[in-house]
Every structure is written in structure tokens, then in C-alpha cells.
Amino acid sequence: MSVLAAVLVLGALLLPNHMDLLTVGMFLRIPVEAIFAVALLLILPPKPRLAAAVAGGVVLGVLTILNLLDMGFYQFLDRPFDPVLDWILFADAKSFLNDSIGSAGAMGVVIGIIALVLALPTLITLSIVRLSGLFTRHGAVATRSTLVAGTVWVTCAALGAQIGGIPVPASNAAQHVDRSYRQIADGIKDKRVFAEEARVDAFAKTPTDQLLTGLRGKNVIFAFIESYGRSAIDDPAMAPQVEAVLERGTEQLDQAGFGSRSGYLTSPVSGAGSWLAHTTFMSGMWVKNQQRYRSVTSSKRLTLTDAFRRTGDWRTVGIMPGVTRSWPEGKFFGLDHIYDSRQMGYKGPKFSWSPVPDQFSLEAFQRLEHGKPGHQPIMAEIVLATSHNPWAPLPEMVDWDEIGDGTIYHEIKKAGKDPKEVWTDSAKIRNEYRRSIEYSLHSLITWVEKYGDDDTVLVFLGDHQPNATVTGPDAGREVPISIVARDPDVLKRIDGWNWDEGLRPGKNAPVWPMNDFRDKFFTAYGPTAGKP
């Protein structure tokens, strides 16, 4: 039992916080924390020794859980877990599990996680208490061994000794404590920094009659395609099919009289956190965490969408199929009316995470707003959510005139793939992700082809890259963005952006931070555009 206790404690001390670092060599190192802990336990009297062992076990157990959380966050969000701001994301994780493996399976996973969270600190604490007793019973041997281990650690550190490229001397736990402390301190500092940044707004005092003058009379649509990242058009495993959709779409729109320009934006998030990307794009602020989101959405910051409302010349609407409950932040974005998943008239089934297929969402926009005779100009924010993971089962394109109330999708879902089967193989996951992006693009392109007119201006973009299961490590955070219009003056106003023609941005297309778009858009479509 003592051997198992030692293995558990050493494993916890040497556990990395990234799955790519889970190698044998990582666990063949000497943790400095173990050396200091044994030395402390040897010199303490019995009662303080027991208290120190228990406290150390609890701390190490918590650090182990945080390391495991870091692994998951790096795998799916390309960043470590924030112990202050990220607790809200666990509700989304539970929703993802429901869609991937069903409610029963999700409940089983949740119970397993709770058991692990309770068991790890308990087992590690019991192990340290047991080892503490062993050290005191064999004090002389433990003292000599500690001195030898300390000497070896210092020598290896001085010489830079490595095993397979991994340093032999280790201080994982200490580094994690320091990292967590810095995260908390940085979070407190970031709140002040963000508040200072928010005070600077070049368009805050712009008269409403000077806003968006180059788009008066147009129906302007901002459409987000969930998880539409640069990997979809750069990754050799997906690029040929997605590029074909974009090239064919460019030709279809060209034949319908529409031109298009495309570039890239760098999202503040990856893998998830769509609302942070949407807010960054609309507000012109770099909204990288929940703290910033709460701050900006409770402010009076001018957003892209609210600018249209303030002019009084547009009706502003949101098509939000992913919203299933009240969304008070809608007021911040200046939307006159929000159609969520309960207000679109959809009678079909849910496809994986998305309550409403993208094609139906666009048809609902046409039926409820855009297709009404004599309507005033519309500004719409439309979120296309079908490409949200877990990407199975997927809807299929149907004839626009046959969509009806969505009951047609019941048979389509029955023929779809089981997410439990898809998520057993990374190649299958990547394939279904690609198919979901193709579906979203088809839906949007054919909607413009069928319902677009001389006054249609479409801006569509991805909100973030998919998770690392699809992209692999170090894929970056760039997402494609395109502007589509039939009126040549709309595209002429962005000539200075140097975006590529068509729906597919090239490898050397401009890349902007996502928060730069708002100001560039206001400038391009303001009264001074093109003037010296």
C-alpha cells in the first residue's frame, strides 16, 4: 500500500497540465516539492506533522484537479482553465455532453467527475498521511534519502540534465501555484485595464446622421457561422471540399449579380465562447473572458448593431436559434426584436447542439421580416448554429419551398449519424465538422441567391476556430470573413481594405484583430469614406 501511495503522490506532483506532455519521461523526474515535504514532515512533532500532511494532501489534490481541468481546456479551448472566471462554462459542457452521448450518459459522466473531484484529494491526503508515518518510523533512512535526492536535484538543475528532452529536476506543483496566483492577480488587473480601454471610443459622440450614411436604404445582415475557422479552408483534410463550396458559391453569386470580398479576423477565443467573439466583433473591444463580457454588456458602448438602431432608419432584429431562455444582453446590442429558438415556428427536431437548422433559421428570417412587403430597411444579426459541436447528426439542404414548419427534418435526423459513434474517431469528427461548415455555407449562399436583391448587404464570418480535436495543436485563432453585395458602391468603399475577391480569402489575405472591424466598418460606410 505504501508503494501505491508513493506512486499516487509522485504522479500528482509530476502531472503536467497539457495532454501533449503526457509522456513516460514526464514521470521520471525528481519533484522538488517532495524533497521539501519529506524534510518538513521529518522535523515536525506528531500533531503538527499530521496537520501538515492533511493540508498538503488537500492542496495537492486541488492542484491535480486544476491540472486535469487545464488539460481539458487546452484540448477544447486552446487555453488553460481560469479558476476565477471559467466556472460558468461547465453548464455549456453539460449541454455538450447531453447532445453528444445523451442525457443518461451525460449524467453518468457528471457523477463520475463529482466522484473524482471528491476522491482525488481524499486519496492523496490519505497517501501523504501514510507516507508521513513511514518516514518517521524510518527516520534515518528517510533523512539520508532526502539529502541524496536534494543533492541530485540541485546537480541536475545546475547541469541541465534531461531525459528525452525533458528536464530531470521538476517543480510542477510550485509552478502551478505561482501560475494560479498570477492568473487571479492578472484577472483583477485586467478589470482595471479593460475599464480604461472602454473609455476610448472614436465613435461614441458621432451624431446619428453621420453614422452608416453609405448604407442607408440597404438591408444589412451580419451572419455568424459557428466554428467556421481558417482551418476549414487551410487544412488539407478539409480544404478541397470547403474550397469547392466557396468557389462554386462565388460563381453562383456572381451569376446572380453579387460581388464579394474576403479577409481574415483573429478571434479572441478558440474552440468555444461564441458570445465573447460576437461581442468583440460588435463592440470593438477585445472581449476575451466572462469578466470583460459582463463589463461591456452592462455599459453604454456603441455596437455595430446598435448604431443602426440609433439612426432610426433601420429595424434591427436578431435571429438567435441558440437562445433558449431570456437574453437581457439583447438590449445592449440594440436589437428591436429577437427571434429565439421558441419564436421561429420550428416544429422539427433538434440537431446535436443546435435547436434549429441553419436553413430554417434563414427561412424564418425571410418569412418573419425580410420577405414582408413594404418593410423598412432591416439590420439583422443572424447566428447560424448548426456547425456547433458535436456535429452529429446533421441536417441536409431541402428545397426552400418545402421547409414548412420544419417537420420535414424528422426523417432527415433519423438518417443522421450517431454522435457517440462519430466521437470515437478524430478523423470522423473532422469529417462531420467539415460537412457542417459546408451545410452552413450552402444555406447562406443559396438564401442570398434566392432572396437577395439590389439592397442586400451580407457580412458573414466565423466566430472562432473549432476545438483542437479538429484543428490539431497551434492552429491559431483566425476566422474567414466575407462581404457580399450587388451594389458595386458598397464594395468600392472597402477597396482600401485590400481584401481578396470572392468568398475564399487567399493565404496572404489581410488579417485584422476582430475588435478592429467595428471602427473600420463605421469609417468605410461613413460620410468621409474615400475623402482625403
Side-chain angles (χ1 to χ4, degrees):
M1 290 298 293
S2 296
V3 172
L4 290 176
V7 169
L8 178 61
V9 173
L10 288 174
L13 287 170
L14 295 172
L15 182 70
N17 69 338
H18 202 296
M19 292 186 70
D20 292 342
L21 299 177
L22 280 175
T23 62
V24 173
M26 187 62 65
F27 294 94
L28 297 178
R29 300 181 299 153
I30 305 171
V32 69
E33 300 88 353
I35 298 170
F36 279 106
V38 174
L40 178 64
L41 293 173
L42 286 172
I43 63 175
L44 286 175
K47 287 185 178 181
R49 181 168 61 241
L50 177 61
V54 171
V58 172
V59 170
L60 183 56
V62 171
L63 289 177
T64 303
I65 292 168
L66 291 176
N67 268 331
L68 294 173
L69 286 171
D70 273 357
M71 285 187 196
F73 271 66
Y74 273 120
Q75 184 68 14
F76 289 98
L77 302 180
D78 192 31
R79 64 173 178 82
F81 172 72
D82 189 317
V84 176
L85 302 173
D86 282 338
W87 300 104
I88 190 175
L89 298 181
F90 288 107
D92 293 329
K94 173 66 163 51
S95 176
F96 169 71
L97 288 172
N98 281 335
D99 298 327
S100 301
I101 58 177
S103 57
M107 184 57 66
V109 171
V110 170
I111 292 172
I113 291 173
I114 293 173
L116 180 65
V117 167
L118 295 175
L120 266 177
T122 302
L123 290 174
I124 291 174
T125 299
L126 292 174
S127 296
I128 292 178
V129 169
R130 182 181 184 86
L131 292 173
S132 173
L134 180 67
F135 298 149
T136 54
R137 289 195 301 273
H138 304 280
V141 174
T143 300
R144 289 195 297 271
S145 299
T146 302
L147 289 172
V148 170
T151 303
V152 172
W153 193 97
V154 172
T155 303
C156 289
L159 297 176
Q162 297 183 348
I163 297 177
I166 300 172
V168 172
S171 56
N172 284 24
Q175 289 175 5
H176 200 137
V177 170
D178 179 65
R179 187 167 58 247
S180 297
Y181 169 78
R182 290 177 183 274
Q183 265 186 316
I184 294 170
D186 288 346
I188 295 171
K189 180 182 177 182
D190 182 66
K191 187 173 183 178
R192 296 195 301 267
V193 170
F194 189 66
E196 289 296 322
E197 293 174 355
R199 291 192 180 99
V200 180
D201 186 351
F203 293 89
K205 297 181 179 180
T206 302
T208 55
D209 62 356
Q210 300 295 301
L211 285 171
L212 305 164
T213 55
L215 292 171
R216 300 299 167 98
K218 302 296 185 185
N219 295 309
V220 183
I221 302 164
F222 295 101
F224 292 95
I225 298 180
E226 168 68 35
S227 301
Y228 177 35
R230 182 164 186 164
S231 293
I233 54 180
D234 276 1
D235 189 324
M238 301 179 283
Q241 296 93 328
V242 176
E243 281 186 353
V245 173
L246 293 171
E247 290 172 2
R248 187 164 58 251
T250 300
E251 293 175 3
Q252 290 173 242
L253 294 178
D254 182 66
Q255 291 173 5
F258 289 91
S260 54
R261 301 287 186 274
S262 299
Y264 290 106
L265 301 178
T266 302
S267 175
V269 293
S270 181
S274 300
W275 65 96
L276 304 180
H278 297 178
T279 309
T280 295
F281 180 81
M282 293 298 183
S283 70
M285 297 291 295
W286 192 251
V287 184
K288 63 181 180 179
N289 56 45
Q290 193 66 18
Q291 177 174 269
R292 289 188 165 210
Y293 176 77
R294 288 195 296 264
S295 295
V296 74
T297 55
S298 60
S299 72
K300 295 182 179 180
R301 177 81 178 184
L302 177 66
T303 64
L304 264 178
T305 41
D306 193 34
F308 285 87
R309 183 193 62 82
R310 293 188 190 186
T311 67
D313 289 338
W314 279 273
R315 172 171 167 78
T316 59
V317 300
I319 304 295
M320 306 289 180
V323 175
T324 57
R325 53 184 181 270
S326 62
W327 187 51
E329 293 93 332
K331 293 180 180 179
F332 166 74
F333 292 104
L335 300 174
D336 293 324
H337 188 80
I338 296 172
Y339 296 94
D340 63 25
S341 59
R342 302 162 295 180
Q343 298 173 319
M344 295 184 194
Y346 183 63
K347 303 298 183 184
K350 183 179 182 181
F351 284 85
S352 70
W353 181 88
S354 178
V356 183
D358 290 348
Q359 190 182 7
F360 189 94
S361 294
L362 290 164
E363 188 279 332
F365 170 59
Q366 180 65 22
R367 169 170 41 85
L368 296 168
E369 292 285 346
H370 187 264
K372 289 185 176 180
H375 65 76
Q376 76 176 105
I378 297 170
M379 189 294 304
E381 179 185 354
I382 301 177
V383 177
L384 302 178
T386 294
S387 49
H388 192 291
N389 65 13
W391 306 304
L394 291 173
E396 296 177 359
M397 291 295 295
V398 300
D399 189 284
W400 287 94
D401 296 327
E402 296 180 0
I403 292 176
D405 63 1
T407 53
I408 191 174
Y409 289 104
H410 283 289
E411 290 301 317
I412 294 175
K413 182 175 182 178
K414 288 180 182 178
K417 296 182 180 179
D418 186 336
K420 292 190 288 293
E421 176 187 348
V422 169
W423 278 79
T424 59
D425 186 321
S426 59
K428 291 180 180 179
I429 297 171
R430 188 177 295 109
N431 185 65
E432 296 310 299
Y433 162 76
R434 172 189 60 77
R435 290 182 61 233
S436 75
I437 294 298
E438 291 180 47
Y439 169 81
S440 297
L441 291 169
H442 275 306
S443 298
L444 199 53
I445 291 166
T446 56
W447 183 90
V448 175
E449 188 180 27
K450 183 175 178 63
Y451 296 115
D453 56 30
D454 292 345
D455 293 327
T456 300
V457 178
L458 168 66
V459 181
F460 75 91
L461 66 152
D463 47 19
H464 55 71
Q465 286 264 54
N467 63 51
T469 308
V470 174
T471 66
D474 306 318
R477 296 187 174 187
E478 293 172 10
V479 297
I481 180 170
S482 300
I483 294 184
V484 178
R486 185 178 281 171
D487 184 345
D489 182 62
V490 171
L491 297 180
K492 185 177 180 180
R493 282 175 171 263
I494 64 169
D495 281 346
W497 293 3
N498 298 316
W499 283 13
D500 293 343
E501 291 191 18
L503 301 179
R504 197 262 190 244
K507 293 186 181 298
N508 298 316
V511 181
W512 304 339
M514 189 175 279
N515 58 314
D516 282 2
F517 183 84
R518 189 205 69 157
D519 287 10
K520 290 179 181 292
F521 190 85
F522 281 155
T523 301
Y525 295 105
T528 61
K531 296 182 180 180

